[in-house]
Amino acid sequence: MASPTCCATRRPPAVGRLHPRLPWWAPVLPVLVFAALLFLLVTGAEAGAAPEAEPVALLLEWLHRLLVR
């Protein structure tokens, strides 16, 4: 049985080419993620503890009583 010719159009690897070409976003994406994490780290130092929300505390207390029974 003959092999299909539609998928047999592979190119041989380039000889002497050390660095394949990357899409434009490949070097940009890690830089953006690093900058975003650095921004969160710097601005996070200024944040204080959030006040405890009354409804959340009541819900947790109710769940605790329900499970302890």
Side-chain angles (χ1 to χ4, degrees):
M1 182 168 212
S3 63
T5 58
C6 68
C7 301
T9 58
R10 287 187 173 172
R11 273 192 285 170
V15 177
R17 191 171 176 192
L18 297 178
H19 303 288
R21 291 193 58 170
L22 295 174
W24 65 269
W25 50 265
V28 173
L29 188 61
V31 172
L32 287 176
V33 170
F34 177 77
L37 290 175
L38 185 63
F39 175 75
L40 289 174
L41 183 67
V42 169
T43 58
E46 300 168 2
E52 185 177 336
E54 180 79 21
V56 174
L58 292 174
L59 177 65
L60 289 176
E61 184 180 342
W62 178 78
L63 283 174
H64 181 266
R65 277 189 269 138
L66 183 68
L67 294 173
V68 171
R69 284 187 197 180

